Each structure stands twice: as C-alpha cells, then as structure tokens.
Amino acid sequence: MRLLLIHSDYIEYEAKKKTKMAEEGAVLADREEDALTVFSAVESVDQEDMEGVIAQAVEEVKKAAGQVHAEKIVIYPYAHLSSDLAPANVAVPALNALKDGLSAEGFAVKRAPFGWYKSFKLSCKGHPLSELSKTIVPGGDEDGEMVVKKKGKKEATHDWFVMTPDGKTHNYHQYLDNTPFGCLVKKELGVAEPTGGEPAHVDLMRSKELVDYEPASDVGCLRWMPKGKLVRDLLADYVLALVLPYGATPVETPVMYDLGDKAICEHAAKFGERQYRFKSNNRDMMLRFAACFGMFSIMRDMHISKNTLPLKMYELSTYSFRHEQKGEVIGLKRLRCFTMPDMHSLCTDMPEAMKCFEEQLAIGWKTGRDFETKLVAAFRCTKKFYDENEAWVKKIVKDSDCPMLIEVLSERVHYWEAKIDLAAIDGQNRPIENPTVQIDVESSTRFNIKYFKEDGTPVYPPILHCSPTGSVERVICAILENISTQKVPALPTWLSPVQVRVVPVTERHTAYAQEICDAINAQSIRCDIDDRDESVGKKVREAGMDWVPYVIVIGDEEMASKKLTVTLRRKSEPNKPFKEQMTAESLIAAVKKETADKPFRPLYTPRKLSLKARYI
C-alpha cells in the first residue's frame, strides 16, 4: 500500500465522472478543514497479507496524525501512487477497513469515493512534517522503513542523498524545492504534491496535428499524422547517427516471444511492468516491453571472442508494449505501445562496463542539449557497488557538472548493479524519465551469453542497457512540455516540420515566391508556400500558429530588390516579431548553421498550402 500524507489547512473534492469501477452511495462532494489527508493506493502485492498491511497503515497514519496533532482524517483513493494496483473488489474493502481502523482509534474519518474522476483542492500547511510518504508491504518492518519485498525479490532498504560535482554529499531535504532537480527529488522521495489536470503537451500534440489517440486500437496506442511522423523519423535518424559512430551495430528482432523459453520467462518476470500475454496455439507468448529479449537471443547464439568486446548492438524497437493501467495512460508520457531506441553493450568485465557507462551517459546528456530540454539525474546502485566504486560515482557526478540524487540499495533486487536515469520536467513539475544506462549483471548467465578465457574458462560478462534518448514518444512529450513554458513557442529548427514558409502578398507575387521556395528546398531545407487566397495578415498569423521558424513575406519591394523580409521566430518576443532583411543565400546559410550536424528529411506535407489536408 502506498500512502502520501498531507497535513492540510483544508481539502475539498467533487466527483465528476464515473469509471466502470465507481462505487455507489458514496459522498460525491465534501470539504474538511485542518485534517490529515491520506492519499492511498492499494497494491496487488498487499493481497498476500491484507490484514497485516491495513494494521501497518493504521499505525503509520496514527503516528503521523499524532505528530501533527490532527484529529480529522480524509482518506483519498489515488491510483497514481502505484503502477501495480489491486483490483477494485480488493481495494474498496481495504480502504473501508483502513477507515474503520482509524475510526476505532478515535479519529473523525471521511473517505472520498473510489472509482470516480474527481477534482480536488488542497492547501498544505507547509511545516516540516506536513508531507510524508509511506510504502507498506506484507511483512514490512514496524518502523515504516521503506522496504522492497515482492515475490521473487530480496528485501532491500534504501538510503537517499544528493551528491554535488565537488564530491560532497548532502541531505536530500535541502533540495525539496521547485527547481527541476528539486522536482525530481520530491517525486523520487514521494513528497511531490499531487497535481490534477491534463499535461500541456496533450493539447499541443493534437492542435499542432502531430499525433492523436487511436480509438479503434487499445488505449495508449496512437495515430501519427504527417508532421508528427516526420518528427518521429527525424528522432530515429538522430539516434542512429549517434550510435553508429560509437560502434553500435543495428539489428531488428521480433516483437513477440515464447514464454516457454526459460531465459525469456525469467527475464520477463524481472520487470514490474504489466505484460501483454496471449496464446498462440498451445504456446504462451508475450509482446516485448524492450529489445532485450531479441538482442540477448542473438548474443547467446553468437561465437563471442574477447577480442571483439565491447560488442554494442542497437535496435529502434518499433514497437514495444507495456500493459499500463488504463487510468495512468495519458498523452505521450505513458503508453501501452511505444518506440524505444535500445542499445545493449556486452563488455569484457566490470571496469570496461563502467567505462562504457561513462561514454553512454555523456551521450544521454548530449541528447538533452540537442532537444533543448534540461535534464536532471538520479543514480542508483547497491551498497556493495557504492563502497567499492565511490570514487567513480564522484567522477560521473563531476563530469556531469550537476547535482545527482543518489539511491543506495542495501541489497541487489534487480538485474542491475548500477543505473542512472535522466529526466526532463514537465509543465506540472513532474519528471519525464528519458535516457537511461544500466549495468546488468544477471542476463548473460540467464541467457548463456559467454566468451572463453585462454584456459577455456567461460566468462559471463556484464551487459549495459542504454536508451540514449528514452522512448521517442517521451522525447516529443518532453520537448512539447518545455515549449509550453516558452513565451514564443518553437520547436528546435531541425525538428520543425516546416522550417521556412514563403508568403506572397498577392497572386502576382506567387511565381517569384515559388522560385524562392524551390531554391530553398533544393538546399535540403523544408520550405512551403502559402498560395491560398487569404490576407497576408492571416497567412503570417497561421505561420506563427504552426511555429514556422523563418517566415518570408514577398511583395513588390522584395521582387525588385531581391532582398527578403524574414520573420525570425526564435528572436521574436510576444507581439513583437523580429524581422530581418536577408538574401535567399544568407537565409539558407542561417538555417544550415542552425541545423548543422542534425538529420534532414524533406517535407511530409504538400509544398503548396492550398493542397494541404486537415487531419484534426
């Protein structure tokens, strides 16, 4: 069970819409003042000892209420605290039992309805104990210490701190602010304030005709319009151009695998993500949630020589699948079907794996700069790894030149010994996890991936998992969320579906405007022409709405002088367009300079706007 406890000046809520799990007869709107608000999520693992979990939860809430002198409690079902929720027929009785247990302790207890979409307002008191997070598991300790304990996994306690580039460590409480790094720390430590409403990128992805939900498919599956498809393809080209010079070898593997393969089945069980499973005749199958399965299958069938290591294998996994909770699927941030650039590096030994880790982390930081999204970092490892490699951890923090949240696990409970996650922060101050690098110390043994020493002794080496960008969908999500905070929103020019637009003032200027448009396209720059019978003002406004970086207006003066009047979006201010006189050659040079070393694809939409279809 996951609990987020907020000592509140007040909380008020109103149920808006039923889900299929909505309970009847509940209080659909209420308000309570000076209360301890308990955001709650009942998890599937709680069913192993529900009575014990509820007893622990009552004690934890009772303890917190005593510390803040709260006499009133509001239990608020909040599914977003967990990705491993118990079914409604288990969760509702558990929440009722929690309410009854707290009532028996003398508290005045209310409970918000389960299974409803609700709006709520809450004012946090803001003192040091006003925000607390608790994770309760069957058999968890009585002190409420965060424990990882699920079937097939070892127990582990977690130690959190912040390390700065000077190598010093700090209490994470010093970083619980609203900076991008502070937002990451608050989310990881479970003290982030709940946020409602739809993320900003959801409206942008539709209004800019990039991507939309596909109602004829499963939830979390998308349809991509031409402009969005272009951005996706450019991102795919970008990652390939990153990993090829690094020495990665592209492969392509199936999207479905046989769970009768022992290694496949064991590796699938290591992941908490829900899996798409199905029957094919008499075989139990699954859809992949990453490219690991196919790449590891290739590696175990290879003849591997120590001389060829590190061996780096890359796939753009179109698609991977994770059966996320329906209520958690939203926009581009959390999907059931997504595209993941995935690289796996088979290394000789741990020192080589750590060297490759540094290199691949540097690639991850570079992607944030190229996408113009600020990234923040959380590094995780076992205590054994940290004790043996503390100097190396300090080195990667110093090389990254930014503070990192460090999580040290008392025991290894995953396939990885160490990993780093880089995240952008969305418009609601929530992390969007993107690039990652992980040192896997289990999979080579599980899949029988090995090389031999000179004396014939087999070596099962470490494998690095790396997504240089994170999923393509989350990259676009992060870019759009970043744009939503800009005064003059603009995509990076190399990702703009239209980089230059030519606007003729009247019909007699169209032929010359077409010449300019053709000349710019011939230089591998995406340029279209607004040949519609509309006013110049409307054409220019719509170019702005399309976030076109360079807009050329051509009238009599431009035709006579051969000088172009160009609006530069990235230099403009709200209601103050920045205009510059340029020749066609200088404009081309400016765009080329801005997009240097980035991939190019031609227009995916008609060159003439009069022929452009409307998709949404």
Side-chain angles (χ1 to χ4, degrees):
M1 182 180 289
R2 303 271 179 157
L3 303 176
L4 176 61
L5 296 87
I6 308 291
H7 192 201
S8 312
D9 292 314
Y10 71 88
I11 178 172
E12 61 184 35
Y13 69 84
E14 181 180 358
K16 296 287 189 179
K17 184 180 178 181
K18 286 184 177 183
T19 70
K20 293 179 180 178
M21 301 175 290
E23 60 178 326
E24 301 294 342
V27 178
L28 300 184
D30 206 348
R31 176 186 173 98
E32 190 61 87
E33 297 185 0
D34 195 24
L36 182 64
T37 302
V38 182
F39 291 95
S40 316
V42 182
E43 299 185 290
S44 61
V45 70
D46 297 341
Q47 297 174 83
E48 296 178 7
D49 181 17
M50 187 60 77
E51 185 177 345
V53 167
I54 292 168
Q56 289 182 66
V58 169
E59 288 302 313
E60 290 294 345
V61 177
K62 177 183 174 183
K63 178 181 175 182
Q67 290 173 329
V68 300
H69 307 293
E71 298 178 354
K72 294 179 283 188
I73 293 172
V74 177
I75 298 172
Y76 194 104
Y78 199 68
H80 302 291
L81 292 177
S82 175
S83 60
D84 186 26
L85 296 171
N89 62 348
V90 172
V92 172
L95 294 170
N96 285 334
L98 176 60
K99 178 182 177 183
D100 293 343
L102 291 168
S103 296
E105 295 289 340
F107 295 102
V109 187
K110 293 182 177 181
R111 182 169 74 77
F114 183 94
W116 290 76
Y117 293 110
K118 301 180 287 288
S119 64
F120 70 87
K121 293 181 181 179
L122 176 147
S123 174
C124 177
K125 287 183 177 290
H127 56 73
L129 295 176
S130 61
E131 303 172 54
L132 296 171
S133 170
K134 296 292 180 181
T135 299
I136 299 169
V137 297
D141 68 9
E142 295 180 356
D143 295 327
E145 185 175 13
M146 188 179 293
V147 176
V148 174
K149 185 179 182 184
K150 292 190 178 182
K151 289 182 178 179
K153 294 185 179 179
K154 302 175 184 178
E155 290 187 12
T157 57
H158 301 237
D159 184 23
W160 300 87
F161 55 91
V162 171
M163 182 178 288
T164 46
D166 58 8
K168 295 180 180 179
T169 59
H170 309 267
N171 190 308
Y172 67 80
H173 287 95
Q174 300 175 34
Y175 294 85
L176 299 177
D177 52 36
N178 287 325
T179 63
F181 182 65
C183 293
L184 173 72
V185 175
K186 288 197 290 186
K187 183 265 183 183
E188 292 290 341
L189 274 299
V191 297
E193 297 177 8
T195 56
E198 200 170 57
H201 79 273
V202 177
D203 175 65
L204 292 176
M205 75 183 198
R206 300 186 73 253
S207 64
K208 303 307 171 186
E209 292 195 334
L210 300 173
V211 57
D212 199 1
Y213 301 114
E214 176 48 75
S217 184
D218 195 2
V219 296
C221 296
L222 304 171
R223 56 165 71 147
W224 292 85
M225 269 55 78
K227 291 195 291 186
K229 170 65 172 163
L230 173 61
V231 175
R232 272 175 59 93
D233 290 347
L234 286 167
L235 291 172
D237 294 344
Y238 168 85
V239 182
L240 187 62
L242 275 182
V243 301
L244 285 177
Y246 182 60
T249 53
V251 298
E252 187 169 330
T253 60
V255 301
M256 63 185 71
Y257 290 90
D258 186 352
L259 288 164
D261 183 305
K262 184 173 182 291
I264 295 286
C265 187
E266 288 180 0
H267 191 65
K270 284 287 178 181
F271 288 76
E273 290 87 357
R274 290 168 176 81
Q275 299 160 29
Y276 277 87
R277 297 194 174 193
F278 62 96
K279 283 277 190 181
S280 177
N281 296 326
N282 62 344
R283 300 166 72 189
D284 290 317
M285 307 289 289
M286 65 166 289
L287 297 178
R288 68 180 179 188
F289 45 78
C292 315
F293 302 96
M295 291 193 194
F296 292 167
S297 184
I298 291 175
M299 288 178 179
R300 71 177 167 186
D301 291 339
M302 293 175 65
H303 174 72
I304 297 170
S305 167
K306 179 181 177 180
N307 297 330
T308 63
L309 301 182
L311 171 66
K312 301 157 188 167
M313 198 174 288
Y314 170 76
E315 179 176 3
L316 182 68
S317 64
T318 309
Y319 285 100
S320 290
F321 303 86
R322 298 183 188 182
H323 200 269
E324 303 283 9
Q325 286 284 331
K326 183 177 180 180
E328 296 176 348
V329 173
I330 186 165
L332 297 164
K333 188 173 183 179
R334 190 175 291 275
L335 297 165
R336 289 184 175 177
C337 175
F338 56 93
T339 299
M340 179 71 77
D342 220 340
M343 179 167 63
H344 291 83
S345 304
L346 187 65
C347 300
T348 306
D349 49 28
M350 185 60 77
E352 185 171 81
M354 292 162 66
K355 179 177 181 295
C356 290
F357 187 107
E358 293 180 50
E359 297 165 350
Q360 293 172 23
L361 172 57
I363 292 173
W365 287 120
K366 172 178 167 53
T367 66
R369 294 190 297 272
D370 289 343
F371 301 150
E372 301 176 12
T373 55
K374 180 176 175 58
L375 299 177
V376 290
F379 177 84
R380 315 169 201 277
C381 66
T382 62
K383 185 176 187 303
K384 178 177 181 293
F385 183 93
Y386 186 82
D387 290 345
E388 294 175 354
N389 301 286
E390 183 178 356
W392 178 79
V393 176
K394 290 181 178 180
K395 180 181 185 300
I396 66 169
V397 176
K398 181 180 179 181
D399 291 347
S400 298
D401 195 29
C402 64
M404 282 191 194
L405 179 63
I406 310 293
E407 177 187 10
V408 178
L409 289 76
S410 60
E411 303 288 342
R412 183 169 63 81
V413 295
H414 306 284
Y415 59 86
W416 48 264
E417 188 82 14
K419 68 176 292 195
I420 193 163
D421 296 308
L422 306 186
I425 303 299
D426 69 14
Q428 296 175 311
N429 290 335
R430 298 177 300 194
I432 307 167
E433 292 180 358
N434 279 330
T436 186
V437 189
Q438 307 168 5
I439 302 177
D440 179 348
V441 294
E442 282 189 3
S443 294
S444 60
T445 301
R446 181 179 300 114
F447 281 85
N448 196 29
I449 301 167
K450 60 185 181 293
Y451 67 88
F452 293 92
K453 294 182 179 179
E454 291 182 0
D455 63 4
T457 304
V459 178
Y460 298 89
I463 301 173
L464 259 63
H465 300 238
C466 173
S467 179
T469 59
S471 74
V472 169
E473 291 81 3
R474 281 196 175 184
V475 169
I476 299 174
C477 169
I479 292 171
L480 292 177
E481 288 287 333
N482 179 53
I483 288 173
S484 73
T485 66
Q486 296 174 354
K487 291 182 180 179
V488 179
L491 284 164
T493 299
W494 69 278
L495 284 173
S496 297
V498 177
Q499 295 169 315
V500 181
R501 176 163 296 166
V502 184
V503 177
V505 174
T506 66
E507 187 177 353
R508 70 174 181 275
H509 304 114
T510 301
Y512 181 65
Q514 186 68 61
E515 288 180 26
I516 296 295
C517 181
D518 293 343
I520 294 172
N521 277 290
Q523 296 299 315
S524 296
I525 295 172
R526 291 184 293 277
C527 180
D528 62 16
I529 178 172
D530 194 340
D531 61 331
R532 299 172 302 160
D533 185 19
E534 301 285 358
S535 69
V536 173
K538 181 175 181 179
K539 292 179 181 181
V540 171
R541 284 195 302 273
E542 292 191 6
M545 293 171 63
D546 288 342
W547 298 346
V548 179
Y550 296 85
V551 180
I552 305 168
V553 175
I554 292 182
D556 292 337
E557 184 177 337
E558 286 75 22
M559 286 182 63
S561 67
K562 308 301 180 185
K563 292 285 185 70
L564 308 177
T565 302
V566 184
T567 299
L568 284 64
R569 185 167 184 80
R570 295 174 74 84
K571 292 186 178 182
S572 297
E573 297 289 335
N575 301 317
K576 290 178 62 178
F578 181 90
K579 297 183 180 182
E580 188 173 319
Q581 293 289 313
M582 308 174 79
T583 64
E585 292 74 19
S586 62
L587 171 62
I588 289 167
V591 178
K592 287 288 191 180
K593 181 179 179 180
E594 196 173 347
T595 59
D597 302 322
K598 299 297 189 299
F600 168 77
R601 290 199 175 209
L603 287 169
Y604 278 23
T605 49
R607 193 171 293 186
K608 293 182 177 182
L609 261 66
S610 60
L611 302 176
K612 180 184 172 185
R614 185 170 179 176
Y615 290 86
I616 296 178

